[in-house]
Amino acid sequence: MDRKKIYPWWFAVPAAAIFFLLCLLPGLLGIGYSFTDWNSFTEKINFVGLQNYQKIFSGHSEYLSYISNTILFTVATTITKTILGLLMALLLTRPFIRLRNVHRMIIFSPQVMSFLVVGLVFQSMLHPTTGFVNNFLRSIGLGSLAQNWLTDLHFVWPSVIAVDTWKGMGYIMMVIIAGLTSIAPEYYEAASMDGANFWQQFQHVTLPLLRPVIVNVTVLNITYGLRVFDMIYALTNGGPGNATGVINTAVYKLFSTGDYAMGTTLSSVLFFFMLALLYFILRSMENKEVEA
C-alpha cells in the first residue's frame, strides 16, 4: 500500500456504514432511551428528561455503589496487573532464566480461558467448606487462615481482584516483553560503560523507552475494568448483597427485571465516563510524545 497516495474517500464508506449501524446507532438509541421511562410493563414510552440520571446521582446509594465498585475494580486490577506484568516481563527477559518461553507460556495460558470458566473454577476452589484452598490450609495445619473468600466482606474484593489479576497478568506481560525486546541493546551497552547498575538502567533507559507500551496496556486495562461483567457475574454475581456489584451486573439485573430505561441510563453513564477518561489519557499521551 502506497501511504503517500490519496485514495478516494468513498473507499471507506462500507466500513463507516457497518460501524454506524452496528456500533454508533445502537449507542445513540441507548442514550435516547435513557431519557424515557421505557420498561417491559407497558408499550407506551414517555419522555422523562433527566429523571433517570437524577435517580443515579441524587444519593441513591445502590446505583452510586455500583459506580464506586466499578472504579475500585478498575483501579485495583489496572495497578496490580501492570506492576506484576512488568515485573514478570523484566524477569523473563533476563538471560540467566532457563526455559523462558515455557514460563511465559504457563503465565500467559489463563488468558486464553473463558472468563466464565475461570470464574466457575475459582468459585469452586474458594468454597468455604469444600473448596481446595481452605481444605489445603486445613491439611497443613493452617485452618485458622481458612476464610469465606467470596462471602466475607473483608475478603471478597481481594479475592475477586486476585483472580482477575491471575487471569490477565500474562497478557500484559507478553505485551511488555514485546516492548522490551524492541529496545536496542546499544542503549544498555552505553549505560553499562558509564557504570549504570540494573536499577539505573531501568530508571533511565527501560522505563522512558517503555512508556508508550505501559500507557497502551494501562488504557487496555482501564477499558476492560470499566466494562467488566463476566468475572464478577461468575464469581460472586455481585454479592454478598450488592457488595461486588458493578455497573454491568446492575445493567443486567435491570434489564432482567424489565427496567430498560434505568439499564440504558447506567450504560450511558459508563459510556460518557469512558469517553472522558480515554480523552484525557490520549491527550496526555500526545503531550508526552511532543515533549519527547
Side-chain angles (χ1 to χ4, degrees), residues 120-138 146-150:
L120 293 173
V121 168
F122 272 92
Q123 190 184 51
S124 172
M125 292 178 64
L126 297 175
H127 192 276
T129 54
T130 61
F132 167 79
V133 175
N134 281 354
N135 284 336
F136 175 74
L137 290 172
R138 294 186 189 105
Q147 303 292 340
N148 295 324
W149 303 104
L150 297 178

Side-chain angles (χ1 to χ4, degrees), residues 21 23 34 39 56 74 82 89 92 98-99 107 111 140 152 170 197 230 242 264 267 269 274 281 290 292:
L21 289 174
C23 299
S34 70
N39 60 72
I56 294 175
T74 303
T82 304
L92 294 179
R98 302 183 65 181
L99 301 174
I107 296 172
Q111 180 63 30
I140 60 174
D152 190 316
N197 56 30
D230 319 54
N242 289 325
T264 55
S267 298
V269 169
M274 287 180 67
I281 291 174
V290 171

Side-chain angles (χ1 to χ4, degrees), residues 12-21:
V13 169
I18 292 173
F19 175 78
F20 176 78
L21 289 174

Side-chain angles (χ1 to χ4, degrees), residues 243-254:
T244 57
V246 292
I247 291 178
N248 280 332
T249 57
V251 170
Y252 177 77
K253 288 180 180 177
L254 287 168

Side-chain angles (χ1 to χ4, degrees), residues 3 16 37 56 58 84 101 103 106 109 147 158 170 174 201 203 228 235 247 260-261 267:
R3 292 178 179 275
D37 62 352
I56 294 175
S58 61
L84 291 176
N101 287 334
H103 297 307
I106 293 172
S109 58
Q147 303 292 340
M174 295 301 288
Q201 290 181 20
Q203 189 178 6
V228 67
L235 270 178
I247 291 178
Y260 305 140
S267 298

